[in-house]
Amino acid sequence: MSVRRPDPLAQVSDFDIRLLRIFRSVVECGGFSAAETVLGIGRSAISQQMSDLEQRLGLRLCQRGRAGFSLTEEGREVYQSALQLLSALESFRTEVNGLHQHLRGELIIGLTDNLVTLPHMRITHALAQLKERGPDVQIQIRMIAPNEVEQGVLDGRLHVGVVPQASALSGLEYQPLYSERSLLYCAVGHPLFYVDDQQLDDARLNSQDAIAPTFRLPAEIQAHYQALNCTASASDREGMAFLILTGRYIGYLPDHYASLWVQQGRLRALKPTVRFYDLSLASVTRKGRRPHLVLESFLESLAATR
């Protein structure tokens, strides 16, 4: 009658790994008694653990008794294999932990145009910190209209975006970043350029050809455009600046963006104490996104640069 051998080990469980660590210590200490201090458990417990391992493997690993401790041929082979397995596990742990210290990968950002002239350069500072933490991180910046930024984050083409904060879209998370003031401007050559504000009544101002943005804005800001005679439109602020600088249109621009042209005498703000609005800009990410260490590191830096 043949004796049925135990089935080969189908998989290595956490329990098996714990037993193999005990086996390694026993071998390196040269026996059960010497391993008691290292393992912090009694000899009988070690003996039971070794019996469990031998039963799990279906192999006799060592001889123990009056003659002392010694490995069987199979025990020597299992010991070498255990060293390779435990070394691989340690390397895996080290590499995974290292990812938290040495960032790798890509960050794709969609930005509304003309944020770089903001005095508080939170995006710039956050990118600098990200690059310092992860020199190998590859950064892509895409300057696109706000509506495209939100859509890009939704469909996964962008990891993060920065947009004017209007009503929140389902599926996106918004975190406030900036508040910027926009004033109503005209350019040199426009009929109102040299008209004193005190002589400029609302009816005359509202009758001028003006520019409306095509991107989403809060309702209270849209009211500023509804009061104007908007005969042109633009998908972004740079497009609005192009039209204003023709000297044929009036339109709102962020004051930080327009300041250089104002200093050059090419733009002037019209009735700036009453014709202005403040707009919040926010970072936008997708809800329920997969873990992305580079993105989380950037968002962490962004939140810290206040």
Side-chain angles (χ1 to χ4, degrees):
M1 180 176 179
S2 61
V3 178
R4 184 177 180 273
R5 294 178 61 83
D7 292 333
L9 193 64
Q11 60 183 5
V12 178
S13 67
D14 291 342
F15 179 65
D16 294 321
I17 291 172
R18 184 167 67 84
L19 294 179
L20 287 171
R21 286 197 170 103
I22 293 173
F23 175 54
R24 178 184 63 181
S25 296
V26 169
V27 174
E28 291 175 352
C29 291
F32 293 3
S33 298
E36 286 183 277
T37 302
V38 173
L39 294 173
I41 56 177
R43 180 174 178 177
S44 61
I46 296 174
S47 179
Q48 181 60 53
Q49 304 276 21
M50 287 290 83
S51 295
D52 290 342
L53 179 60
E54 289 177 329
Q55 185 175 359
R56 283 284 296 162
L57 299 179
L59 298 169
R60 182 74 171 172
L61 301 179
C62 58
Q63 304 290 344
R64 53 261 204 194
R66 293 182 179 179
F69 173 85
S70 63
L71 288 175
T72 64
E73 185 63 32
E74 291 86 355
R76 281 190 286 271
E77 293 186 18
V78 169
Y79 173 66
Q80 293 300 323
S81 295
L83 290 180
Q84 294 177 23
L85 172 61
L86 296 175
S87 176
L89 287 173
E90 180 63 23
S91 296
F92 174 77
R93 184 189 66 82
T94 301
E95 289 180 11
V96 170
N97 289 342
L99 291 175
H100 293 271
Q101 301 172 355
H102 306 289
L103 297 176
R104 299 181 184 87
E106 185 177 53
L107 183 68
I108 307 175
I109 312 173
L111 296 181
T112 299
D113 62 323
N114 307 125
L115 296 181
V116 72
T117 52
L118 274 164
H120 304 293
M121 303 180 70
R122 293 183 60 185
I123 298 172
T124 302
H125 295 327
L127 288 173
Q129 292 177 16
L130 177 65
K131 191 62 175 173
E132 182 177 354
R133 286 190 59 189
D136 296 328
V137 170
Q138 297 181 357
I139 299 171
Q140 291 188 34
I141 293 182
R142 298 178 183 174
M143 306 301 300
I144 49 182
N147 297 348
E148 295 179 39
V149 172
E150 289 175 309
Q151 187 57 50
V153 174
L154 273 173
D155 63 27
R157 288 180 290 116
L158 302 174
H159 294 125
V160 61
V162 177
V163 295
Q165 189 164 12
S167 57
L169 294 182
S170 176
L172 295 179
E173 293 179 340
Y174 298 81
Q175 293 296 328
L177 285 180
Y178 299 107
S179 179
E180 64 176 13
R181 173 157 294 190
S182 289
L183 304 176
L184 185 60
Y185 291 95
C186 70
V188 63
H190 192 276
L192 300 184
F193 191 79
Y194 293 108
V195 177
D196 188 271
D197 281 341
Q198 294 181 347
Q199 299 175 353
L200 187 55
D201 59 70
D202 287 341
R204 184 179 181 187
L205 189 57
N206 294 342
S207 67
Q208 304 298 312
D209 286 329
I211 311 153
T214 59
F215 50 86
R216 296 187 318 116
L217 289 170
E220 63 272 18
I221 291 178
Q222 291 177 9
H224 289 269
Y225 291 96
Q226 291 168 355
L228 300 176
N229 178 34
C230 293
T231 60
S233 64
S235 64
D236 51 51
R237 285 100 69 90
E238 186 170 354
M240 299 176 76
F242 267 111
L243 289 172
I244 295 170
L245 288 166
T246 65
R248 299 295 182 267
Y249 297 90
I250 63 173
Y252 285 96
L253 291 175
D255 57 2
H256 61 86
Y257 178 45
S259 62
L260 179 60
W261 290 309
V262 172
Q263 294 172 23
Q264 294 172 346
R266 299 179 63 190
L267 289 182
R268 65 158 289 200
L270 301 167
K271 304 185 75 169
T273 58
V274 293
R275 293 294 182 120
F276 70 88
Y277 63 78
D278 294 320
L279 176 66
S280 294
L281 293 137
S283 65
V284 56
T285 52
R286 185 172 57 181
K287 289 181 181 177
R289 62 186 181 272
R290 292 180 178 178
H292 188 292
L293 193 58
V294 173
L295 172 59
E296 302 310 322
S297 180
F298 172 73
L299 294 175
E300 180 183 322
S301 297
L302 201 58
T305 54
R306 296 188 182 276

